[in-house]
Structure formats: structure tokens, C-alpha cells
Amino acid sequence: DAKTTQPPSMDCAEGRAANLPCNHSTISGNEYVYWYRQIHSQGPQYIIHGLKNNETNEMASLIITEDRKSSTLILPHATLRDTAVYYCIVRARNYGGATNKLIFGTGTLLAVQP
Amino acid sequence: DADVTQTPRNRITKTGKRIMLECSQTKGHDRMYWYRQDPGLGLRLIYYSFDVKDINKGEISDGYSVSRQAQAKFSLSLESAIPNQTALYFCATSEAAGGELFFGEGSRLTVL
């Protein structure tokens, strides 16, 4: 699985968009980009994933560059409850019984300020 | 009720003791995982299981063992706990065909 690089911490004002970057320059063609978040020692929570097209769901948007070497998670209107560690993970989505494990890095601590 | 339940949520034990952390899920998923989290190190995979008859080592399996008693149950054991196994442990599940992980609320283990 390709490695990812994220800034260790970021601040965002409440109500503004939070843009969390992730670099995955060694990503290969069959690898997806996943985002999870962990709120203060709770179990990590899935946010979104994508392959090459931009994705949006009720929680966030995922923008993947055309060369797929980096991506940005966007929380459109950050709230205090979005303060958490955000993990960007790259892995192949294997359906044939091969490894389906997710390798987490250290993530980005997003602090939403009132 | 939580879809993925871990017990105990907190445990303090002494060096050399045997400890079992239990995980049960109601999501009907085949795949289950045990992760360990240490401050500043993110989550590291200990063991994972694709079905009842399948057990695989993860990144840091030394000092741990697991048992998949049923599709819904996956237990992690520390046969002889040592202080550097003090950590927050998470169980997770996923569907057989891939997709997102669903985590339990964690089990905080302290080994004195």
C-alpha cells in the first residue's frame, strides 16, 4: 500500500470550510484513497473514499488531483464537533480475498476554533 | 446499541497476567480486525480474520494471539502482559468485499 503524508495539525474557524491535504505520490492505479476521523480516543469513523473522481457525501467532499498524487478532504462548514484527528489512507480494494487491511498513519489533528 | 462492542472498556493489570479483550459485532460482517493505538503512532494492525477459519498476522502480532469463536466474535489475548502493551485497543469489522471499517469504542489496557 502506498504511503501518505499529512500535516500534523491544522486550525479552522467554526463555520468555515476545512481543507485537509494529503500527499500520496506513490499511489498505484488500483489504490483508493480513504479518509477516517477519530474524535478524542473514540473508535475511528469512516468519512469517504474515492479512486479518481471527486466524491461527495453528507459528511464531506473528496477532491483527488488528476495525477492522483494528492487529495483534499473538505468539510464545508466545520463545527466544534469536527475537531478530531483525520487519517488519509491509501490501499487497494481487493475483492479476491487478498489483504483488506487498512494501515493508518499519524493523521492531521484538526482543531475547529469558535 | 453499538454495532461493534468491546469488553472490557478499561482494564488495569499486572505484568505477567493473562488478559483477554473481547469483541462482538451485530453487522454480519465476515472480516474482523484488532488494532492497537499508542500516542503519536496512529493505529497499528495486530491481527485480522476474513472468516471463522481464517486468521492472519498484522504488523505487530508478537506477544498477542487471537481466537475467532464465531462470525460475530473475535477475541484478542495477551498471554503474559508486559508494560509496553499498555495501549488503546480497537476492534473493527468490514464487509467481505471490501469497504469501510466499522470500529468499536476501544479497550484501554494498562499493564503495571
Side-chain angles (χ1 to χ4, degrees):
Chain A
D1 296 325
K3 290 186 176 180
T4 63
T5 303
Q6 298 177 254
S9 64
M10 292 182 63
D11 289 342
C12 177
E14 188 177 19
R16 303 297 294 269
N19 297 279
L20 292 94
C22 180
N23 181 286
H24 32 79
S25 59
T26 60
I27 193 170
S28 60
N30 67 339
E31 289 182 315
Y32 287 70
V33 180
Y34 283 75
W35 283 84
Y36 284 74
R37 75 179 183 183
Q38 186 177 23
I39 298 173
H40 188 56
S41 297
Q42 296 179 17
Q45 176 190 24
Y46 166 82
I47 302 173
I48 199 167
H49 75 278
L51 182 62
K52 55 183 178 180
N53 297 320
N54 298 338
E55 302 287 345
T56 296
N57 63 20
E58 65 279 4
M59 290 182 68
S61 294
L62 174 60
I63 308 299
I64 302 174
T65 58
E66 190 170 347
D67 64 8
R68 302 210 320 123
K69 293 184 177 181
S70 65
S71 60
T72 301
L73 178 75
I74 301 173
L75 308 179
H77 304 287
T79 70
L80 297 179
R81 289 176 294 180
D82 291 321
T83 293
V85 176
Y86 288 77
Y87 297 98
C88 168
I89 302 152
V90 169
R91 74 162 176 96
R93 190 169 171 141
N94 295 312
Y95 292 85
T99 58
N100 190 33
K101 59 183 189 280
L102 284 176
I103 304 297
F104 286 75
T106 54
T108 296
L109 173 58
L110 175 68
V112 180
Q113 308 292 342
Chain B
D1 288 339
D3 294 322
V4 183
T5 303
Q6 294 183 228
T7 57
R9 295 292 311 278
N10 289 285
R11 182 74 184 268
I12 299 173
T13 190
K14 295 182 179 179
T15 297
K17 295 291 187 181
R18 183 178 187 275
I19 294 297
M20 178 180 286
L21 306 179
E22 300 185 337
C23 177
S24 62
Q25 52 118 344
T26 58
K27 298 193 73 67
H29 291 165
D30 285 328
R31 301 186 173 197
M32 298 187 72
Y33 310 77
W34 275 103
Y35 284 88
R36 161 181 177 157
Q37 185 170 37
D38 298 277
L41 293 179
L43 282 80
R44 292 182 290 169
L45 183 64
I46 306 173
Y47 271 96
Y48 59 103
S49 169
F50 287 168
D51 63 38
V52 174
K53 297 180 181 180
D54 177 81
I55 300 290
N56 304 280
K57 293 182 177 181
E59 303 169 83
I60 53 163
S61 58
D62 287 347
Y64 301 94
S65 62
V66 291
S67 173
R68 185 78 184 269
Q69 302 95 321
Q71 185 204 39
K73 296 184 181 296
F74 192 36
S75 299
L76 176 71
S77 293
L78 289 68
E79 295 301 326
S80 180
I82 56 177
N84 75 1
Q85 291 177 312
T86 293
L88 183 57
Y89 291 85
F90 287 103
C91 174
T93 74
S94 69
E95 291 182 295
E100 61 264 35
L101 293 176
F102 295 86
F103 284 84
E105 289 301 309
S107 296
R108 186 171 297 281
L109 176 66
T110 302
V111 183
L112 302 177

